[in-house]
Structure formats: C-alpha cells, structure tokens
Amino acid sequence: MDVEAAPYLLDSFIEAIARLTSYALTDREKESVVRGFRQFHQRLERISSSASLRQLAIESKRKKHNVECQHVGKTCVQNCTRGFIKAFVVGYAVKCGIDVVPHIVSLRLFSKPQLLLRSLKSKDTLGFAAFLSTLIGAYKGILCAMRKFGTSNDYVNSLVAGALAGLVSIKIDRSRSRRAAVTLYMVSRALQYGVVWIFNRWSAGLQAEEDQLRGRSLKRAHSAVSVSQQSPASRPTLRRLQAMSPAASSDVLSHHVRWDDSAVDNSKEAKRRMLHIDRTKRVLRWVRACAPTALMSLSCGVIVYVLFFHTDVLPRGYLNFLSRASGYELLYPKRAASALKSVGSEVMRGTGGGRIPPGMGTKEYIATLPLANDLLPAAKDGIHHDYVACGIFHPGTTSCTRGVVSTILQSLPVAMKVYAPLNASVLLLFKRRQLLANPRRALLKLLVSSLRSSAFFALMVTYIINGSCFVRTLLGRDTLTGYIVTGLAGGLAVLVEQPSRRIELAMYCFLRALENAWDVGVQRGIWRNVRHAEVALFSAAMGVLMTIYQNDPSTISLTYHSILTRVFGKN
C-alpha cells in the first residue's frame, strides 16, 4: 500500500463509520440510515479492491505464520555456512586428537612423526568431519527453511529438521562400527529425554489440575467467610487475607474455614480426584528417584547373561576391559574369554548342578572340560572346590570370601586409572573457575569423587563375577537364574555413586545391554539385522532430541544441554 494513500483511506474509513453512527443515533428517517449503510458499503468495496491492500494482507498472514529464527546478527545462509565450517574444523581436530594422543602418551610419535601426517590425511578423519558438519549444517538449513515456508509449529519444524539431517548425514561416515555406536548412543539419549519429557508433561498436567481444584475451593471459602459473620478482632486478618495470593492465604484461611465446611468444594468427586492426584505425584517422585538404579540393575542383568552364556557376542575391547578390571587377565593371560565361556557351558550342560564330584580334585575335573588347555595353567594341585565355577573364579583358594577380596583389590587400581583422569579432564574443561577460586577444595573433591566412583566400579565387577558364589551356596546348585540374579544385584552398586551421576552410568550400561541383547537375538535367530536400520534409528533419534532441545531445553541435563548448545548453537 502506498504511504501517501494510507492516511486518506484510513480517514475515509473512520469518517464513514462516524457518519453511520450519527445516523443511527439520531431520530432521522430510516432512509438516512439505509443511505449511510450503502455509502459505507461502497467505500469498503473500493478499499478492499485495492491490490496493495491484498498484498498487505498476504504479508501480514505470512508474518503471523512464520516462526522467527534465533540466530541474532546472522542471516539464515550465514548461520548454516558458519555452522558447517565450524563443525568440520572441530570434528577434524577432535578426530586427529583422538588418533594422535595415544601416540604422544606412548612416545611413538617422536620416533615416528609420519603417524601425525597419516592421521591428518586419513580418509576416516575426513569422513568423520564431513559427517558432523553435514549433520549440523543440514539441521540449521532445514530448520530455517521450515520456519519460512513450513508450519508455524516449531515442534514440527525441529522434528522434521532433526530427522532429515540425521537421514542425510549418517551414511557419510563409512565406519560401520562407529555408525552403530553413534546410533545406539543417540537412541539411548532420545529414549532418556523422551521419557523425562513425558514425565514432566504428566506432572505439569497434574499440578495444573490440582491448582484448579484448590483455587476453586479457596475461592468458595473466600466468599463464604464474610466480615459480618466474624468478630471485630478477626477483621484485620480477613483484610490481610484478601490482599494475599491464594497460595499464601491458605494457612490463614485454615484457621477460619475447615475442609469439612459446607462452603468449601467438598464434593466426593473433588476429594477423590485430589487423592488420586496426590498418589500419582508420589508415584512419579518415587519412579524418578528409583529409575536410575532400576535401569542399572536391569542392564547389569543383561550384561551378565551375555558375559557368561554368549561370550562371543561381546565386543573384544569391552571383554578385555572387564577381564583386566576383574583380575582374570592375570589368572588367564589372553584366555579370560575361555574361562567365562567354560562357566556358562558347564551351567548349561546341567550335570550335577555344576558340582565337582567328591574325592576329585579341581584340576582333575577341569582337565575334562572342552577348554581345559586354557584353564589348567591357573589350576592348583591338591585343591578341591565344591563347584566348577568356584574353581575357575578363585582357583588359588577354596574360600569364596577370599576370592571376593582378591577381586576387589584387583579392580580398585584399574578403576582409579579410568576415573581419576576422567574426573581431572572434567575439572579442567568444565570447572576451571572452581579450581582457580579454591584449588584445595576442588582437588579434594576430585579425589573423593574418584575414590567413590572406583568403589562403585569395584563393587559392581566383584559382585557380577564373584556374587554367584553366594547364590550357588544359597541354592545348592549352579543355575542360569542365579547369574541373572547376581547381575541384577550387582547393579545396585550404583547407589554408592553420587545421585547426579547415577543416570549417566545407568545409560552407559543400558547402551551396552541394548547392543548385546540385539546381537544375542540375531545369534539365536529371534530377529535379524535389517539393512539401513541404523539410518532410520539415527534419523528418529535426532528428530526426538532436536525437538526437545529446541522447544523444551529444561528437560535435558545441564551438562548435555551445554554440549548440544556448543555443537548446534542457538537456532
């Protein structure tokens, strides 16, 4: 619409309205009123026929329809381009660092400088950087496009943008093992924060309904208590009550009106609903508090089952780590997998409840097992164990208690080597201000945290490996169920850890359990691998995560939200 024509049209429109109103309010004949209506209709028709007004309506509708982007100071093209380049540089640097740091620690880089050059021009490094940059650049671009030309619902925009970005980017990474690991990680995070989002919505709905019921009751109580029915001494209290908010005045009001008062919403339905809401909120609080421990316990149960009865399914690196942590790498050098597999085979065979016949030495019986060559070097002469598994777990002693102590002493140093550098890295990267402000307190906290985490890990590994000794003694035989129960109980060791870290540990074990359970199902023919399944799973997980990150960021933990903000930025 032209700037010069706009005031004229507006004045004419207002003038027509005023004249029509004056006709309607006077006592003139009906013809004047009808004439005014006709003039108003003719002017409105002339205005509405203007092409500029139609264009203004289209622009107004488009502006209302769209959701504004949050990348302040940058256009959408600049935001996508910068995000792509920054992600490529960071991904390239991180992948090179992961490859080079072990060579620096082992001092091999100084004797073989070509290792650095090999990492810099590695196709794997370039592929990882391209995957990360495509994921971030595509998400930013698709989100901006959806906001300009798509729906006004930002939940839908972020869901579509995250899903399409994941669909486009995941196939760029040529490493199948890394694709599977990244997909499992994102799926576990999407499940975690998706469940948290549902619980938060559920709690918010219950709270809103409770506030509505309480507000209705409080309103009736306010109206029921009249100043005329109260003594003069209570009137200042009522004046203060009227100035208070409903939440603050509930205590004062309880002195004047009880819940059983007829003025309060005291219907059976309201009471029943309030009771139901209270019970549901208690259950939700209990579930939130117990969920990390329960998830850890279930995950450990699955891992123990796979560890003893489907040992071949476990990734070689994870199996070696558990062997070192439990001390069985020292008992059975490079043969720890055979020891674990022998326990499972003996249990599944079910002969004699896993017992060693009386009068027969442990070494003699082990010599009859299929993997005897791997187990005999650790067996001792002249020792008789009641069960085959005890002879494998603690071959040097018949005491299960001594075996437990030995495993704890073996596990603690291994755990400290893992957790001390990890906690130190977290302190240096994310908590530098605390370290500079109070170094002594920060270092003491680091030591306590490392010891606590190491104690958790040592107890978990010890109970997973040696806890079956106590179950066997209790049941009088060696059974598959006993090992699963041992795993479930071993997961309770997470209670030693700080409450804020339990969910992270549980999610890590859940990730392993999910992967192992899938591989066992494939091995047993229960299901089979689906081609490009990781692409679909990664796409769905990215859609869920980006929807929550973009619209309900409070659902995500502070640490993980800060990581997502650094990676994806504000969009």
Side-chain angles (χ1 to χ4, degrees), residues 225-236:
V225 182
S226 59
V227 178
S228 59
Q229 296 176 348
Q230 302 295 329
S231 61
S234 64
R235 292 179 184 177

Side-chain angles (χ1 to χ4, degrees), residues 437-451:
N438 195 338
R440 184 176 178 180
R441 183 179 180 182
L443 293 176
L444 181 62
K445 190 175 180 180
L446 170 66
L447 178 61
V448 172
S449 178
S450 300
L451 288 174

Side-chain angles (χ1 to χ4, degrees), residues 326-333 374-375 377-378 380 392-396 406:
S326 59
Y328 288 104
E329 187 63 32
L330 298 177
L331 284 175
Y332 307 99
D374 295 335
L375 303 176
K380 305 296 182 182
I392 295 175
F393 289 153
H394 44 88
S406 176

Side-chain angles (χ1 to χ4, degrees), residues 518-531:
W518 178 265
D519 292 338
V520 169
V522 171
Q523 187 185 68
R524 299 183 62 179
I526 300 175
W527 48 69
R528 60 189 181 88
N529 287 322
V530 181
R531 190 179 181 185

Side-chain angles (χ1 to χ4, degrees), residues 419-480:
Y419 283 105
L422 179 63
N423 291 335
S425 301
V426 171
L427 179 63
L428 293 174
L429 293 175
F430 301 105
K431 300 180 180 179
R432 290 191 299 271
R433 294 182 179 178
Q434 299 180 13
L435 180 62
L436 295 175
N438 195 338
R440 184 176 178 180
R441 183 179 180 182
L443 293 176
L444 181 62
K445 190 175 180 180
L446 170 66
L447 178 61
V448 172
S449 178
S450 300
L451 288 174
R452 193 171 181 176
S453 299
S454 301
F456 144 72
F457 184 80
L459 288 174
M460 183 184 68
V461 171
T462 301
Y463 203 85
I464 285 175
I465 300 295
N466 297 90
S468 59
C469 292
F470 301 104
V471 178
R472 279 191 295 275
T473 304
L474 183 64
L475 298 179
R477 59 184 293 110
D478 214 359
T479 62
L480 184 149

Side-chain angles (χ1 to χ4, degrees), residues 20 23-24 31-42:
L20 177 62
Y23 287 157
E31 288 79 10
S32 300
V33 178
V34 173
R35 192 182 306 112
F37 271 106
R38 287 175 180 172
Q39 293 177 358
F40 173 76
H41 176 70
Q42 291 173 358

